[in-house]
Amino acid sequence: MKKKIAIIGSGFSGLSAAAYAAKAGNEVHVFEKHDQPGGRARQFTTPQGFVFDMGPSWYWMPDIMDKFFADFGYKTADFFDLISLDPQFEMIFADKKMNVPENFEALKLLFEKTEKGAGVQLEKFMRSAKFKYEVGMQDFVQKPCYSWLEFVSLKIAKSALKLDLLTNFRSYVARYFKNKQLRTLMEFPVIFLGASPKNIPALYSLMNYGGYALGTHYPRGGFYQLVLAMKNVAEKQGAAFHFNNTVEKINTENNKVTSLQINGSNQEFDAVIASSDYHHTESLLNEAQRNYTDTYWQKRTFAPSSLIFYLGINQIIPDLKHHTLFFENDLDEHIDCIYEKKKWPENPLFYCCCPSKTDDGVAPKGKENLFLLMPLAMGINDDETLREKYLKEMLARIEKHTGINDLLSKIEYQRSYCVSDFIADYNAYGGNAYGLANVLNQTAVLKPKIKNKKLDNLFYTGQLTVPGPGVPPSIISGKIVANEINKIYYETAI
């Protein structure tokens, strides 16, 4: 007998959970407080004709997305055109520029040119990273993580030493490369996992393989095309979406969720999957029914928040790539401001995305679409004066790089997004943008549990639980939770 399941939120984990839960024959309803799906990956269009993805812009680990669609009999190409970027991105240092090519052999030549012997070292690094990726993404991250016993398998046991769980990422990279810029290039992918490279396990060199080796891609029409495609798949399985529907309370009786209060009225369900912020979801319960206390959350290590600007520029900007990383300043100094000092950085690093270099549909002809992002400590003051100060600094560095003068006067559209906006729009704990950090003491079984310990039919999915932050892990998280429900009710998994 099919079950009636509610999913709170339509971010990537919610979309994934909806598709897998509906495929098993459940009656699935997705409730989203906004007027469109996607959560942090929403999209908006301005009156001037600019189209902005609000969140994710790095399409890495394409095989994870391919696997999602394949599970339902589709291909990624059935829904959108995926463009492989070349160069994948450009990294700006104080004294040089480094373009990361699409082709791995060309990447080896770049490394060799920068440091003698580094081309061979990159090949060794990526061979190991590929192994971690295959074990990590196919086995390690697919577990519900109730117990360490889930990891007791011959394959994982044989792989344990090669996974480098007890080595920190910085030391690991330093084994291969001496050049500081090459080290920074290799450390960059783990920054958004939520901690300094010196605190992230070397296991996450799998990120380098999932990015640099598998390539950096872009869905024509914007990252939002992935959202629309996943929603389409979920609907084809029978899932129903309800927008402008805010879940205000989780009602319980006899150790079960009985109903949700949505826009002031109660609706009954057999089970609930919360793709919403974990801490916020628990605030909708009585205190005694929560998995974790406020003290628990205060002691967690979170990934950064961000200062984001969406800018429409009224002219073409030469010499700017689709993705550009402005790393002229010291990486550790900025990281310390995020995790240790918890203050605005004095000498920030930032990222610029200019999708109009690849896609003429995201900006009017002869104009550019800019997305600027600066990683930031969560929970800090983010008033407009501070936002504007950093906008001017970022624009000045883009001007220096491209030779364009007075970009500020060429802004046709401007919108900022920061800590307080993440709280207002997503109920994000402390205004975090990416979830919990993937430090060792918050890995696998040590992450917040996917199942409520006191309520038999309440589950959690997304970046604050397993397997962790990022789009591919969130998609996997939705599948894990849907499978747990399917095993309970149908003794089967997809």
Side-chain angles (χ1 to χ4, degrees):
M1 179 176 156
K2 69 180 181 180
K3 300 297 179 179
K4 187 177 180 182
I5 297 175
I7 296 177
I8 307 173
S10 64
F12 285 112
S13 63
L15 292 168
S16 175
Y20 287 109
K23 183 180 180 182
N26 298 298
E27 180 186 338
V28 176
H29 296 269
V30 183
F31 297 96
E32 170 58 56
K33 66 179 282 190
H34 296 107
D35 61 2
Q36 60 177 302
R40 287 166 169 78
R42 290 178 297 151
Q43 188 179 79
F44 70 94
T45 302
T46 75
Q48 299 89 344
F50 297 98
V51 180
F52 292 100
D53 283 320
M54 292 190 70
S57 56
W58 292 82
Y59 195 107
W60 276 0
M61 304 184 184
D63 56 313
I64 303 298
M65 287 70 145
D66 291 345
K67 179 65 168 62
F68 170 83
F69 292 113
D71 281 346
F72 301 92
Y74 299 107
K75 296 178 181 178
T76 306
D78 293 334
F79 299 97
F80 51 81
D81 177 22
L82 195 60
I83 302 165
S84 180
L85 299 180
D86 190 20
Q88 297 187 44
F89 60 92
E90 184 171 34
M91 185 170 268
I92 311 299
F93 295 104
D95 58 349
K96 71 180 296 184
K97 304 170 184 178
M98 193 177 287
N99 282 297
V100 175
E102 174 188 40
N103 180 271
F104 185 67
E105 290 302 314
L107 183 61
K108 282 168 57 181
L109 289 174
L110 171 66
F111 271 61
E112 187 64 32
K113 183 179 178 182
T114 306
E115 176 188 320
K116 186 173 176 58
V120 173
Q121 288 295 93
L122 177 65
E123 193 163 20
K124 291 178 181 176
F125 183 100
M126 284 300 182
R127 192 180 305 126
S128 178
K130 180 181 181 181
F131 174 83
K132 292 184 179 74
Y133 187 85
E134 289 174 347
V135 174
M137 299 308 291
Q138 291 176 17
D139 296 296
F140 202 75
V141 303
Q142 304 287 341
K143 311 291 186 184
C145 295
Y146 295 126
S147 163
W148 288 113
L149 292 175
E150 295 166 28
F151 298 89
V152 180
S153 74
L154 185 60
K155 183 176 182 181
I156 291 178
K158 284 182 176 179
S159 307
L161 289 176
K162 293 182 180 179
L163 291 176
D164 290 301
L165 275 167
L166 300 180
T167 305
N168 77 69
F169 193 78
R170 172 154 292 171
S171 298
Y172 183 77
V173 169
R175 290 181 195 171
Y176 292 88
F177 311 105
K178 295 183 176 67
N179 180 273
K180 185 177 180 181
Q181 291 167 341
L182 290 183
R183 289 186 188 182
T184 299
L185 180 65
M186 298 306 282
E187 288 179 355
F188 148 69
V190 305
I191 291 174
F192 294 100
L193 292 177
S196 166
K198 63 188 177 186
N199 295 323
I200 293 283
L203 164 69
Y204 290 103
S205 63
L206 64 85
M207 295 279 290
N208 299 88
Y209 180 80
Y212 300 172
L214 297 184
T216 302
H217 302 79
Y218 171 80
R220 187 177 300 280
F223 211 97
Y224 192 61
Q225 297 306 309
L226 178 59
V227 172
L228 295 178
M230 290 180 68
K231 175 177 177 283
N232 191 338
V233 168
E235 287 177 323
K236 288 177 184 295
Q237 311 312 305
F241 286 80
H242 310 275
F243 299 107
N244 299 306
N245 274 253
T246 301
V247 176
E248 299 156 335
K249 188 179 179 184
I250 300 174
N251 300 311
T252 65
E253 189 178 319
N254 297 328
N255 301 321
K256 284 184 177 291
V257 174
T258 54
S259 64
L260 299 178
Q261 181 179 308
I262 305 167
N263 288 357
S265 64
N266 291 333
Q267 297 188 39
E268 294 183 356
F269 295 96
D270 296 308
V272 172
I273 298 173
S275 172
S276 45
D277 177 272
Y278 201 124
H279 174 268
H280 170 71
T281 301
E282 298 229 298
S283 76
L284 305 179
L285 294 165
N286 294 327
E287 196 167 334
Q289 297 170 322
R290 299 170 189 172
N291 276 354
Y292 305 104
T293 64
D294 282 343
T295 301
Y296 169 89
W297 292 108
Q298 290 163 11
K299 291 181 178 179
R300 296 307 94 190
T301 302
F302 279 81
S305 186
S306 295
L307 169 64
I308 299 170
F309 275 94
Y310 310 100
L311 304 175
I313 306 296
N314 66 10
Q315 72 167 70
I316 296 297
I317 303 175
D319 300 320
L320 193 62
K321 304 297 189 290
H322 188 119
H323 296 301
T324 309
L325 299 166
F326 286 83
F327 273 48
E328 309 99 320
N329 298 324
D330 185 73
L331 173 62
D332 284 340
E333 183 183 331
H334 189 139
I335 287 173
D336 284 345
C337 288
I338 295 172
Y339 302 114
E340 303 298 329
K341 299 173 183 175
K342 299 189 185 304
K343 68 172 190 175
W344 286 81
E346 293 177 17
N347 301 296
L349 313 177
F350 74 98
Y351 155 62
C352 174
C353 180
C354 187
S356 47
K357 294 297 183 187
T358 304
D359 188 348
D360 58 12
V362 298
K365 188 175 181 180
K367 301 182 180 182
E368 300 279 31
N369 173 319
L370 292 190
F371 171 99
L372 309 182
L373 183 149
M374 187 179 83
L376 199 62
M378 55 181 250
I380 61 175
N381 173 47
D382 65 346
D383 63 58
E384 286 300 322
T385 302
L386 279 167
R387 298 186 191 196
E388 286 293 319
K389 171 191 171 185
Y390 284 92
L391 171 63
K392 290 174 182 176
E393 174 164 348
M394 289 188 282
L395 290 177
R397 286 159 66 180
I398 294 172
E399 288 170 0
K400 182 179 178 181
H401 171 56
T402 62
I404 290 286
N405 294 318
D406 195 18
L407 269 176
L408 196 64
S409 70
K410 297 175 173 65
I411 295 174
E412 189 172 309
Y413 176 84
Q414 175 180 324
R415 177 181 175 184
S416 66
Y417 205 92
C418 203
V419 177
S420 58
D421 299 297
F422 281 102
I423 294 171
D425 281 357
Y426 310 121
N427 301 299
Y429 185 83
N432 82 84
Y434 305 99
L436 280 181
N438 268 348
V439 291
L440 191 58
N441 66 354
Q442 292 178 173
T443 295
V445 174
L446 302 176
K447 286 190 183 295
K449 298 300 183 189
I450 64 168
K451 188 176 184 301
N452 187 283
K453 301 169 187 176
K454 294 138 189 171
L455 301 167
D456 294 339
N457 58 347
L458 175 58
F459 297 82
Y460 308 86
T461 186
Q463 59 184 12
L464 288 174
T465 182
V466 294
V471 174
S474 290
I475 293 172
I476 293 169
S477 182
K479 180 177 182 179
I480 290 171
V481 169
N483 275 340
E484 289 308 296
I485 286 182
N486 293 337
K487 282 191 286 186
I488 290 170
Y489 292 129
Y490 307 106
E491 297 183 350
T492 186
I494 298 170

